[in-house]
Amino acid sequence: MKRIILDVQHMGKPHNPLDRGAACGDMVEANLCLEYARIAYQVLTATKGFEPFLVTSGSYGQRAAFANAIDTDLYLACHLNSSEIPPNINYSLVEISEYAGEITRKFAEYLMESFTAKLPVEKGEVWEIKKGGRGWSCINRVKAPALLLEPLFINHPCSVECFGTKMYKIADVIVYAIKTFKYNGASQ
């Protein structure tokens, strides 16, 4: 059974409980991430062979310690892209540690291909997070393949159609990638 952690970022941080992430009008990143992570969690719960966990509180260290304690197979830090001004290009990012192994890199590329094929984004990239860089603390302590997801910009007009009642689009892409990725014996 594959253990999957869907970690809703910008939520339940003891050192900064007011951090709700990016906002655009009445849309708040933490709420939107919770919605797509919750849908993915529900689908994976009903899927044979998967044991998902929805994490919504704790410091980054506590979240990583939990993931390591249950010997998780995949750790997804759920975010959304944001910008102070509306971006000209709507793109997706999947971020991984500069020390990521082969499985993590291949899954990140596979997930990115899925995002660009199924979401209203114009391009996608897999970025390496350098030690100490933005996002590093979200994933660096997890032993399993760990990815930081930024599927859409919260303030891009094309993204808005995926928010609200249509968050299943993002969740569907994540679940599809998890269920169909071929590990092929690569190292983490």
Side-chain angles (χ1 to χ4, degrees), residues 170-185:
I170 296 172
D172 178 58
V173 174
I174 294 167
V175 170
Y176 169 82
I178 290 170
K179 289 168 63 174
T180 60
F181 178 66
K182 305 292 185 224
Y183 288 87
N184 296 329

Side-chain angles (χ1 to χ4, degrees), residues 25-96:
D26 62 351
M27 296 184 301
V28 177
E29 182 178 2
N31 297 342
L32 295 170
C33 293
L34 176 60
E35 188 63 24
Y36 81 72
R38 184 178 297 159
I39 294 166
Y41 169 81
Q42 290 168 341
V43 173
L44 288 170
T45 297
T47 304
K48 185 178 178 178
F50 294 96
E51 184 180 11
F53 296 84
L54 187 63
V55 176
T56 59
S57 65
S59 68
Y60 294 136
Q62 291 167 328
R63 294 169 191 231
F66 173 70
N68 296 337
I70 66 165
D71 199 25
T72 191
D73 296 293
L74 180 63
Y75 183 91
L76 301 175
C78 302
H79 280 269
L80 287 168
N81 265 330
S82 63
S83 173
E84 301 247 338
I85 57 172
N88 293 327
I89 297 175
N90 193 27
Y91 62 91
S92 287
L93 291 176
V94 174
E95 298 178 73
I96 59 175

Side-chain angles (χ1 to χ4, degrees), residues 103-154:
I103 286 178
T104 305
R105 290 177 189 286
K106 285 185 176 183
F107 182 72
E109 291 166 6
Y110 187 70
L111 183 56
M112 180 49 55
E113 290 170 11
S114 299
F115 279 157
T116 55
K118 296 183 176 205
L119 293 177
V121 294
E122 292 134 46
K123 69 175 192 166
E125 294 181 60
V126 174
W127 281 10
E128 272 190 10
I129 304 172
K130 302 294 183 195
K131 185 175 182 176
R134 183 190 151 280
W136 174 260
S137 58
C138 298
I139 62 173
N140 74 313
R141 298 178 196 120
V142 179
K143 293 177 185 173
L147 295 80
L148 190 153
L149 310 182
E150 306 230 27
L152 297 168
F153 271 96
I154 191 171

Side-chain angles (χ1 to χ4, degrees), residues 149-164:
L149 310 182
E150 306 230 27
L152 297 168
F153 271 96
I154 191 171
N155 60 333
H156 192 281
C158 291
S159 299
V160 173
E161 72 183 61
C162 284
F163 300 145

